């Protein structure tokens, strides 16, 4: 279906089902229960899941296929956000032009940076992208924000003010980003017994776009172009002596992934009409690297899993404080309870990075293929247990799931 | 006029004159071997043909056009394919995919943004790749990971990848170096087959005399960066200068 083989179609349908049902799946605990804090089904976080999913899917086209590790992709995300907010300021709160402009501007920007950075490979390429991203951050944070020429509004961040032109804005339209009048914040809340589920317009817009670009990524992975990118990673020398020019291939991959990042940035602004320089900082670039590696670089579904995983940690683990811990361990004798809280404390709340770091190390050491690798191992183990009597039929593996 | 004309080529690496006054003419549709002791400059010379090195002096013409200053991919697109001393293949890809890439390069040129169609639905490419695999007796390995194959198979695959492009000139740098006797003999047979099918010029660098004398029609002996003699295999075998510079050393 859709020009995909059976396996890829199944994957696409599974991802589609999960994203559509996300408001249910992410809110498994009754609102009033002690576990409710682990619910992730609120609009803001669900939007982040899919937006950073898009970011990571695009990053994976560059890093997963060609092996070129960019440490500056947050710059494109940031540029996308700024472009979108400017569209809001100048023309309209409708998100469509904003998103399109975010992708275009990020594309141009990544063409420029990619053209220069791709003159080098390996660590030098990574350092060049990092340098460019930090320069972009500095530009956004201070240089391009002065009374004479204020493109980014510096520290405060770019936002829409009442005296902005907004040429095509008129009464009757929401005073917030909208899709032809449908506000991105409009949410329908469904209460079922003790449970509560949120269906948010912004989330479903992002989810639909993510499914679209995920489908596009699958097509790219299976195309001759995708194979060339894998060949770049495998053996550039052979590729050159086989009559193929590696530079335009890597540049195309770079620009495509830059446009994915710009799209993600545009969507962030469409959900919340703000753009700040911190979005371009190197920690943000590092985060997408972590997402991709954690999920499984070079696999189709890995980056989405990695993005979800990290965003969940960032938002849920970071909210566990000592009060919550005391509740958890309250069944224990006082002394042991305090001791347990003392032990666990550094790993939750503000310490969530610590837990994430440990998890990341464990994954990289024991599951070099990321979470997808883990899933495959479990799957293989289950199958070998179930199929011990049956003959082993297919032993071949496909390189990219 | 040969298909490959090398005139007065010289190159220097720091204090070392690696090649000097190299003149060489490879006639079309022949097998021309370049032999010489280790460090004679054979690989360096070959690298001057494929865009890896640019000589300080002299010219290298392929089919009347200079190759100097062109990138390796451009030279390949002119019709020169090269086999490396240690097989260079796409280890992470399957054997079939390895074979498809040169077919794409031949059909679409150095770059083509073919990002949406499914590569397995490119019927002409898949058919051509399967056909060459068949000819190489590797069809049964098509779904194997290339990196997992034996060295002999990797070499076979690499030669097949070059042949799939129907190059006019095939360059081989010690294709049997480090190979077991059986693999060496297989490779000789394969190269003979390619030669006898015709319509291809082969320039081969080789250390192994057995390989050279069973394949080559002309032999150039290189010593210390300069051609010593060029002649037929029969004459080379008996040549006193060659015995002294080369054969005497290894025989
Ligand atoms: N890139 C290089 N830089 C410096 N010296 C080199 C380089 N390539 C080859 N040489 C030197 O040139 C000489 C010829 O090398 P090479 O062409 O590899 O010999 P052969 O292939 O005949 O064994 C050797 O002395 C080698 O050390
Ligand atoms: Mg050599």
């Amino acid at each position: 279906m859709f020009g995909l083989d059976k396996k890829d179609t199944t994957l696409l349908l599974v991802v589609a089902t999960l994203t559509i049902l996300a408001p249910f799946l992410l809110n498994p605990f009754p609102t009033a229960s002690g576990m409710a804090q682990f619910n992730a089904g609120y609009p803001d976080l669900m939007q982040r899941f899919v937006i950073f999913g898009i970011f990571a899917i695009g990053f994976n086209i560059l890093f997963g296929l060609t092996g070129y590790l960019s440490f500056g992709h947050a710059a494109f995300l940031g540029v996308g956000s700024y472009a979108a907010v400017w569209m809001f300021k100048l023309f309209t709160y409708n998100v469509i032009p904003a998103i399109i402009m975010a992708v275009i501007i990020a594309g141009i920007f990544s063409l420029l940076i990619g053209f220069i950075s791709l003159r080098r490979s390996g660590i030098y390429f990574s350092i060049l992208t990092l340098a460019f991203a930090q320069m972009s951050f500095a530009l956004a944070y201070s240089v391009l924000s002065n009374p004479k020429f204020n493109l980014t509004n510096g520290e405060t961040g770019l936002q829409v003010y009442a005296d902005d032109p907004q040429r095509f804005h008129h009464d009757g339209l929401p005073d917030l980003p909208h899709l032809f009048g449908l506000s991105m914040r409009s949410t329908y809340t469904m209460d079922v017994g003790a449970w509560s589920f949120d269906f948010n317009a912004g989330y479903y817009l992002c989810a639909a776009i993510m499914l679209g670009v995920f489908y596009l990524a699958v097509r790219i992975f299976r195309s001759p172009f995708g194979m060339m990118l894998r060949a770049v990673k495998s053996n550039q020398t052979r590729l050159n002596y086989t009559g193929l020019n590696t530079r335009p291939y890597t540049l195309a991959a770079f620009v495509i992934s830059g446009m994915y990042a710009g799209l993600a940035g545009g969507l962030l602004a469409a959900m919340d009409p703000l753009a700040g320089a911190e979005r371009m900082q190197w920690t943000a670039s590092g985060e997408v690297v972590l997402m991709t590696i954690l999920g499984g670089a070079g696999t189709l579904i890995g980056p989405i899993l990695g993005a979800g995983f990290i965003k969940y940690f960032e938002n849920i683990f970071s909210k566990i404080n000592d009060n919550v811990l005391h509740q958890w361990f309250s069944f224990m004798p006082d002394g042991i309870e305090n001791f347990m809280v003392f032990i666990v404390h550094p790993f939750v709340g503000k310490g969530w990075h610590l837990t994430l770091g440990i998890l990341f190390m464990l994954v990289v050491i024991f599951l070099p293929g990321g979470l997808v690798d883990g899933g495959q191992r479990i799957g293989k183990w289950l199958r070998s247990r179930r199929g011990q009597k049956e003959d082993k039929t297919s032993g071949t593996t496909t390189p990219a799931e | 006029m040969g298909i490959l004309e090398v005139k007065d080529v010289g190159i220097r690496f720091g204090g070392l004159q690696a090649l000097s006054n190299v003149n060489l003419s490879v006639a079309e549709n022949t097998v021309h071997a370049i032999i010489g002791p280790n460090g004679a400059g054979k690989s360096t010379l070959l690298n001057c043909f494929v865009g890896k090195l640019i000589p300080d002096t002299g010219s290298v013409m392929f089919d009347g056009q200079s190759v100097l200053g062109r990138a390796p991919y451009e030279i390949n697109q002119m019709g020169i394919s090269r086999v490396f001393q240690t097989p260079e293949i796409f280890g992470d890809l399957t054997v079939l995919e390895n074979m498809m890439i040169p077919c794409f390069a031949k059909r679409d040129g150095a770059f083509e943004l073919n990002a949406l169609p499914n590569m397995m639905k490119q019927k002409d490419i898949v058919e051509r790749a399967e056909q060459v695999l068949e000819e190489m007796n590797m069809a049964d390995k098509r779904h194997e990971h290339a990196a997992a194959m034996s060295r002999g198979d990797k070499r076979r695959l690499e030669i097949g990848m070059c042949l799939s492009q129907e190059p006019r000139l095939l360059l081989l740098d010690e294709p049997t170096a480090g190979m077991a006797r059986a693999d060496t003999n297989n490779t000789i047979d394969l190269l003979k087959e390619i030669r006898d099918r015709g319509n291809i010029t082969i320039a081969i660098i080789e250390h192994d005399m057995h390989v050279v004398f069973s394949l080559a029609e002309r032999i150039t002996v290189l010593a210390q960066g300069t051609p010593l003699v060029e002649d037929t295999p029969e004459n080379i075998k008996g040549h006193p200068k060659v015995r002294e510079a080369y054969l005497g050393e290894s025989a």
Side-chain angles (χ1 to χ4, degrees):
Chain A
M1 218 197 301
F2 316 119
L4 301 181
D5 67 17
K6 221 170 124 203
K7 219 170 138 201
D8 291 339
T9 311
T10 314
L11 182 67
L12 186 67
L13 291 177
V14 168
V15 173
T17 313
L18 292 180
T19 34
I20 291 168
L21 297 181
F24 295 111
L25 300 173
L26 294 175
N27 262 2
F29 307 112
T31 325
S33 73
M35 297 296 279
Q37 59 179 311
F38 289 106
N39 280 340
Y42 53 96
D44 191 48
L45 183 55
M46 287 197 295
Q47 289 164 2
R48 272 162 196 277
F49 282 150
V50 287
I51 291 173
F52 282 90
I54 293 171
F55 190 20
I57 292 169
F59 187 77
N60 189 42
I61 291 175
L62 178 71
F63 174 57
L65 291 180
T66 70
Y68 276 78
L69 178 54
S70 162
F71 266 115
H73 259 52
F76 309 129
L77 182 107
V79 165
S81 288
Y82 282 118
V85 176
W86 269 112
M87 291 301 280
F88 295 150
K89 283 167 82 76
L90 295 178
F91 302 108
T92 162
Y93 258 137
N94 192 327
V95 295
I96 298 293
I99 292 169
I100 292 173
M101 191 51 86
V103 174
I104 293 174
I105 299 288
I108 295 170
F109 201 62
S110 56
L111 185 67
L112 227 95
I113 292 184
F115 184 79
I116 300 169
S117 305
L118 285 165
R119 308 194 148 259
R120 289 281 169 274
S121 60
I123 187 78
Y124 301 102
F125 166 81
S126 303
I127 298 294
L128 278 173
T129 51
L130 179 62
F132 272 115
Q134 282 305 86
M135 277 158 58
S136 312
F137 170 71
L139 282 175
Y141 196 75
S142 53
V143 182
L144 294 180
S145 162
N146 54 59
K148 277 192 215 121
F149 182 72
N150 192 353
L151 194 66
T152 59
N153 209 20
E155 227 175 308
T156 323
L158 194 63
Q159 44 192 297
V160 184
Y161 296 111
D163 59 349
D164 280 332
Q166 296 208 285
R167 289 285 296 277
F168 303 106
H169 193 62
H170 56 81
D171 292 343
L173 284 175
D175 235 349
L176 274 173
H178 62 80
L179 180 70
F180 304 109
L182 172 65
S183 167
M184 290 293 104
R185 297 237 171 117
S186 65
T187 302
Y188 166 71
T189 302
M190 184 166 99
D191 291 307
V192 184
W195 285 268
S196 163
F197 306 108
D198 289 335
F199 299 88
N200 168 260
Y203 167 71
Y204 278 103
L205 176 72
C206 295
I209 291 178
M210 188 201 75
L211 287 175
V213 298
F214 177 62
Y215 168 68
L216 189 66
V218 179
R219 292 288 294 258
I220 290 176
F221 265 62
R222 302 296 183 231
S223 72
F225 173 68
M227 181 167 67
M228 295 304 173
L229 298 184
R230 282 189 288 133
V232 167
K233 181 176 182 175
S234 184
N235 191 339
Q236 282 210 37
T237 307
R238 181 28 87 200
L239 204 61
N240 282 322
Y241 287 92
T242 302
L244 290 152
N245 188 359
T246 48
R247 193 72 68 71
Y249 280 104
T250 46
L251 186 58
F254 193 92
V255 172
I256 291 171
S257 70
M259 290 167 83
Y260 270 71
L263 174 64
L267 286 173
L268 278 179
M271 297 304 111
D272 186 9
L274 246 177
E278 76 290 340
R279 241 169 234 181
M280 302 175 121
Q281 221 165 354
W282 67 273
T283 46
S285 292
E287 196 181 63
V288 74
V289 178
L290 293 192
M291 287 171 179
T292 310
I293 294 178
L294 190 68
T299 66
L300 284 171
I301 189 79
I304 306 180
L305 292 179
F309 206 80
I310 288 184
K311 284 296 153 192
Y312 186 83
F313 259 79
E314 182 185 286
N315 289 279
I316 303 294
F317 250 70
S318 62
K319 273 190 290 190
I320 303 173
N321 54 26
D322 280 5
N323 284 339
V324 178
L325 289 181
H326 277 291
Q327 265 176 33
W328 285 3
F329 299 116
S330 59
F331 66 92
M332 293 175 169
D334 256 3
I336 301 181
E337 178 187 326
N338 286 336
F339 179 71
M340 287 305 290
V341 172
F342 175 76
I343 294 283
V344 178
H345 171 85
F347 296 95
V348 297
K350 286 202 182 87
W352 71 273
H353 275 117
L354 203 57
T355 315
L356 186 65
I358 291 170
L359 274 171
F360 186 73
M361 286 195 303
L362 290 176
V363 166
V364 169
I365 294 169
F366 296 107
L367 294 173
L371 297 172
V372 169
D373 190 13
Q376 279 170 344
R377 285 185 201 201
I378 293 171
K380 210 180 274 174
W381 181 72
L382 286 177
R383 247 175 290 135
S384 73
R385 280 194 45 163
R386 206 187 313 145
Q388 257 164 4
K389 285 169 213 148
E390 301 164 31
D391 280 331
K392 263 173 78 181
T393 41
S394 76
T396 52
T397 51
T398 39
E401 289 287 317
Chain B
M1 266 296 262
I3 190 167
L4 185 71
E5 290 285 340
V6 181
K7 288 248 152 60
D8 298 325
V9 162
I11 192 166
R12 179 180 263 292
F13 296 123
L16 175 80
Q17 188 72 39
L19 294 175
S20 52
N21 300 320
V22 179
N23 285 286
L24 182 71
S25 173
V26 178
E28 192 156 9
N29 297 336
T30 60
V31 178
H32 196 126
I34 299 166
I35 64 172
N38 255 332
K42 305 180 297 291
S43 296
T44 305
L45 182 60
L46 189 137
N47 284 334
C48 292
F49 303 162
V50 293
K52 183 157 189 211
L53 291 173
I54 302 177
D56 303 327
T57 60
S59 67
V60 178
M61 308 285 276
F62 172 70
D63 197 24
Q65 280 183 296
S66 173
V67 301
L68 301 186
R70 291 181 204 257
Y73 74 87
E74 292 174 304
I75 294 173
N76 173 280
Q77 293 283 352
M78 291 168 76
I80 302 181
S81 283
R82 156 188 201 171
V83 171
F84 286 79
Q85 198 160 339
T86 36
E88 293 278 0
I89 53 171
F90 303 110
D92 303 330
L93 274 55
T94 67
V95 170
L96 180 62
E97 286 173 330
N98 266 272
M99 200 55 93
M100 286 168 69
I101 287 176
C103 299
F104 275 115
K106 171 100 177 156
R107 190 191 75 179
D108 297 339
F111 173 71
E112 175 83 36
L113 188 63
N114 207 355
L116 292 179
N118 189 318
M119 62 176 186
M120 286 307 174
K121 298 227 168 83
Q122 309 273 301
K123 285 279 178 288
D124 53 332
I125 298 284
V126 177
E127 268 167 29
R128 173 74 184 140
E130 300 259 8
Q131 181 199 345
V132 180
L133 284 177
E134 204 75 55
E135 285 169 16
M136 293 284 127
N137 283 323
M138 299 190 84
D140 54 322
K141 300 203 165 68
R142 62 162 77 79
H143 294 305
E144 271 180 36
H145 247 226
M149 296 196 303
S150 74
R151 194 183 167 118
D153 279 341
K154 284 181 187 161
R155 167 65 69 221
R156 216 177 170 73
L157 174 62
E158 194 189 23
I159 293 176
M161 287 163 72
C162 290
L163 290 178
S164 72
Q165 301 190 302
E166 297 175 319
R168 298 186 55 201
L169 175 62
L170 178 64
L171 301 173
L172 302 115
D173 190 352
E174 304 205 30
T176 64
M179 261 189 197
R181 197 78 244 176
D183 276 337
T184 302
N185 288 335
N186 281 339
T187 309
I188 295 177
D189 291 343
L190 175 65
L191 291 172
K192 273 187 184 157
E193 216 181 296
I194 295 164
R195 177 192 66 186
D196 297 339
R197 234 182 285 154
N199 217 4
I200 189 166
T201 313
I202 300 177
I204 180 169
I205 287 176
E206 192 47 86
H207 206 75
D208 187 332
M209 284 301 121
H210 174 56
V211 179
V212 174
F213 288 125
S214 37
L215 279 172
E217 289 147 79
R218 298 224 34 109
I219 296 178
T220 298
V221 182
L222 208 64
Q224 287 163 4
T226 322
L228 211 57
V229 281
E230 188 197 313
D231 217 325
T232 59
E234 293 70 36
N235 295 342
I236 291 286
K237 269 185 212 171
H239 202 289
K241 258 187 173 171
V242 177
R243 295 196 88 91
E244 180 197 319
Y246 186 70
L247 295 178
E249 170 195 287
S250 65

